[in-house]
Amino acid sequence: MDTQVVETIGFDLGHGETAVAKAKVESIEPPQMLEVNNKKIQITAIGIHPELGILVGDQALIQAGVTQLQIGFKQKPNNSPKYRQTIHNFVETYDRILKESKQIEGGEISQYYVGCPSGWSTEERQEYQTLIKEAGIKKLSIIPESRAAFMQAKEGGKLGYNELLSTVLIVDIGSSTTDFTLVKSLHEMPLDFGRNTLGASLIDKAIFARTLANHEQKELLEKIFKQHSHHKFRCEIQCRRVKEDYFSNEQLYSDGATFARGFEFITPQLHFIPQVNKSIMEEIINQPLPELENKSWIQTFREAVNEAKEKLKDQGILPQVVLMTGGASRMKFTRDVCAEIFPEPDTQVRPDPEPERCIALGLARVGRWELRAAAFKEEVNKLCDSPKLKEIVSKHIPGLIDLLVPPLSAGLLQNAVKSGLKEWKDNKIRTLADLQTTIEQRALQWLKSDRAQQIINNQCVNWFNTEIRPDLAAETDPICQKFQISKSSLRFEGGIDSTVVNPQLSFAEDVLGVTVSFLVSLIIAGGTIGSLIALLLTGHFVLPIALVYGAAFLGEGVRLNKERITDALKTKIDIPGWIRFMALSDRAIDEMCEKMNPDLQKSLKESMTQQRDAFDELIGKVGQQLKNALDAKAEEAIILIQ
């Protein structure tokens, strides 16, 4: 048996920065950010120190004596031994630090959720998972970063329920790539633009190239960078920090005399000082870059957003929300471009206020949500697969019969019996046997009519709302309570309209089929209509017929007993019109039908109650439909689980 996971670890291993968050599975409290080297967010860097061993983050950058420094090494999985060893060492070191500092439990009760670009294929995700597991992570899932961003927005209250069910375009501007992902109800669909190289680190590199080109000792620096790559990496990090400083305080650096500056000490006489202000940054984001086919960063980004819009337009989709994440979403011009291409009010552009933390927190939330959602579905399935639903339906079948019998009896009398009697009175039907056949045919015709179907439909809805629904809620409420979601999530709060509100609950058709088959059997095989007609009509006609025709006409030796006269009346005698007219006024017909109603209702109820086989089939069908409807409700409710 698997050990129960008690905490989910969101591990955002980014090309530029790395962050980790943790969520407790049994809690709905927000996840907490974890610290490595006393920092919640680290530069993605790794180095080896001859005495201290493997160092990560800022320690790898700052510690004197570090060799083999590497930064920005996240990429699609490949077979390079250096790449695989770097990922292995980085993940293993992070995991060790988190366990040693008691921030995570580790082992079987901690499950890692590691992010990847949404454009990675299933095979690439699988290979990445294998690689990270080799670093000693026992329980692990690879999750698209777009889903994490979506979940963080959902849990942070940035997306309303209707928006969660609508379409959300996630624009994830990372250090190495910009990913566009359409998300609908947690199902992500990456928009593939082919080779994606549009990352914000290109801006870092442009600042680096500009600073180096303008440096007084350019040749010396180039020689040092070639021989000692860790100096180059540290200078690139300074360029990244300058960029982040600028975009965090753009207004401050709009003045031509004010600069965002970095400083890297190489030797006492040699320093690397990148600096930018508004005019320099405008120049950088508008300059052609070889990595972008000699297009500028802003031009390429604009084209990508436009292409995303066109791809969605081809599918008839206009996203309700554009959710921007990734550290580079702090660059104001990216938000301006998105707002220009997806204008309000049709689309809301929403940048994440903490993009550096967003993915780590979102990954921890996705992990917790997946575990809790799976447990929730298991509880609902357990209820659906238990005998409970059928027991609830079976228990209330007598109530369904009680609801169906009165309107069906009234409808049969009005639409079959009464109209037949009036035609017989007017000599349009010859014998009582013909009258019985006519009434039976009309009864069947009416039962199959839209009106009869509507009656059955209405009574089924009434039956569900008054009898089934309360018992169903008694079973589903504890499940909702356990997972801390509203009881209404699995309730059919407004009742049902089987054609509008809950198309899964269209069991009126099943009830109709069973009911019609009952009544066909009852009317034809049971002879109910015939016996009722004979019983009532003999009371009206025995004496007049005997007086007019005499016993001999009825057959030699026939006594005037009710049984023989009934048979003769039905088959032999075409009763004169004046007798029919005298005996059957409209009022008399109404009275006859009124007298027949209790007997017909009794026959219908007895017949239905005795037909257990047919109702067993109905119980099975209605039980299955309740299961389908609960499944659909559960799918909707899953999105509410935290």
Side-chain angles (χ1 to χ4, degrees), residues 53 71 79 112 169 173 254 261 280 295 456 512 530 536 551 621:
I71 63 170
N79 292 322
Y112 270 80
L169 177 65
I173 313 172
S254 58
R261 282 193 179 91
I280 293 173
K295 293 178 183 176
I456 292 172
L512 179 71
L536 288 162
K621 285 182 175 178

Side-chain angles (χ1 to χ4, degrees), residues 339-559:
E340 175 192 325
I341 293 172
F342 289 99
E344 293 185 351
D346 296 329
T347 305
Q348 303 288 320
V349 175
R350 296 187 190 166
D352 191 282
E354 290 188 297
E356 299 86 358
R357 300 170 181 235
C358 168
I359 302 301
L361 292 167
L363 287 167
R365 289 187 190 274
V366 167
R368 175 167 66 187
W369 177 86
E370 284 194 347
L371 294 171
R372 287 171 63 80
F376 172 76
K377 274 301 294 276
E378 191 178 339
E379 291 277 350
V380 175
N381 289 340
K382 202 185 295 179
L383 169 61
C384 291
D385 294 336
S386 74
K388 270 290 175 191
L389 295 184
K390 286 186 179 179
E391 286 171 9
I392 290 172
V393 178
S394 181
K395 171 184 167 185
H396 292 295
I397 287 294
L400 176 60
I401 292 172
D402 287 342
L403 286 168
L404 287 172
V405 163
L408 288 179
S409 177
L412 286 167
L413 289 170
Q414 180 65 36
N415 295 282
V417 177
K418 193 175 285 189
S419 63
L421 285 173
K422 285 183 178 177
E423 287 189 18
W424 184 79
K425 181 190 80 168
D426 296 337
N427 273 326
K428 292 176 182 175
I429 298 172
R430 196 177 70 81
T431 66
L432 291 177
D434 294 336
L435 172 60
Q436 180 177 330
T437 302
T438 299
I439 290 175
E440 287 170 0
Q441 289 170 348
R442 288 185 182 172
L444 297 179
Q445 189 179 352
W446 180 76
L447 282 170
K448 294 173 183 176
S449 70
D450 290 344
R451 178 61 189 141
Q453 190 158 353
Q454 188 60 47
I455 287 172
I456 292 172
N457 193 62
N458 290 344
Q459 295 302 79
C460 285
V461 169
N462 192 14
W463 172 64
F464 176 82
N465 290 340
T466 57
E467 304 207 24
I468 300 290
R469 194 159 53 109
D471 281 8
L472 198 58
E475 299 296 329
T476 60
D477 284 357
I479 298 175
C480 295
Q481 194 168 356
K482 180 176 179 180
F483 289 92
Q484 295 170 285
I485 61 175
S486 167
K487 291 177 182 177
S488 64
S489 305
L490 288 181
R491 282 184 175 184
F492 297 88
E493 283 286 350
I496 63 158
D497 173 340
S498 59
T499 57
V500 181
V501 180
N502 294 101
Q504 300 92 346
L505 292 176
S506 56
F507 47 73
E509 291 178 15
D510 295 325
V511 177
L512 179 71
V514 170
T515 306
V516 170
S517 66
F518 283 157
L519 299 185
V520 168
S521 162
L522 188 61
I523 290 165
I524 296 176
T528 301
I529 299 290
S531 61
L532 286 173
I533 291 172
L535 179 67
L536 288 162
L537 292 190
T538 49
H540 284 265
F541 295 123
V542 169
L543 185 58
I545 291 168
L547 290 173
V548 173
Y549 294 103
F553 188 85
L554 295 173
E556 194 173 340
V558 176
R559 295 182 182 179

Side-chain angles (χ1 to χ4, degrees), residues 278-297:
K278 183 173 182 178
S279 62
I280 293 173
M281 187 56 77
E282 288 287 329
E283 188 180 320
I284 286 172
I285 64 174
N286 283 286
Q287 74 184 43
L289 298 173
E291 299 92 341
L292 300 177
E293 300 175 353
N294 286 321
K295 293 178 183 176
S296 71
W297 207 102

Side-chain angles (χ1 to χ4, degrees), residues 198-217:
L198 182 65
S201 62
L202 294 179
I203 298 175
D204 310 349
K205 286 179 169 41
I207 296 171
F208 176 85
R210 181 189 179 94
T211 307
L212 180 60
N214 294 331
H215 202 284
E216 292 176 352
Q217 301 186 60

Side-chain angles (χ1 to χ4, degrees), residues 618-637:
L618 180 66
I619 289 164
K621 285 182 175 178
V622 174
Q624 183 59 46
Q625 289 198 38
L626 285 179
K627 179 179 178 179
N628 294 344
L630 270 180
D631 274 344
K633 278 273 185 187
E635 287 298 330
E636 289 178 14

